[in-house]
Amino acid sequence: MADQNNQKQHQLNIELDEEIADGIYSNLAIINHSVSEFVVDFVNIMPGRPKSKVKSRVILTPQHAKRLLKALHDNVSRFEAAHGEIKDYEQPPIPLNFGPTGQA
């Protein structure tokens, strides 16, 4: 009984509204960092279009960025164990002046 009460104290109620639940598509992430935060800009680049916009920006503390790295690594490993290796195809280089520059 005490274990159930302890679990209830550590539960987090996370709400997901419909607009956010639809998600966004991104085929490019631009990552910048300062001493206090990581800025991840998610972009959707379409063939034949010379200009793209940042669709979403996520700002993380260095500690959360490291946790995200670990979580992504763990999930990719589980995905590959179930579905086979994810192929990393050669992508054309992105110009260095593409997109916004991150500053804190």
Side-chain angles (χ1 to χ4, degrees), residues 19-29 41-47 52-56 91:
E19 183 181 335
I20 299 297
D22 287 342
I24 59 152
Y25 177 77
S26 173
N27 53 10
L28 174 68
D41 288 329
F42 293 95
V43 181
N44 180 3
I45 295 179
M46 297 304 281
S52 296
K53 287 186 178 182
V54 172
K55 297 293 186 175
S56 182
Q91 295 290 320

Side-chain angles (χ1 to χ4, degrees), residues 3-51:
D3 191 36
Q4 286 181 347
N5 288 337
N6 192 25
Q7 284 180 343
K8 285 183 180 181
Q9 288 178 347
H10 290 97
Q11 287 181 349
L12 182 59
N13 185 9
I14 298 175
E15 205 171 291
L16 180 63
D17 66 37
E18 285 186 46
E19 183 181 335
I20 299 297
D22 287 342
I24 59 152
Y25 177 77
S26 173
N27 53 10
L28 174 68
I30 300 170
I31 304 170
N32 290 288
H33 67 275
S34 69
V35 69
S36 60
E37 58 201 13
F38 280 71
V39 178
V40 186
D41 288 329
F42 293 95
V43 181
N44 180 3
I45 295 179
M46 297 304 281
R49 289 210 164 142
K51 190 174 182 180

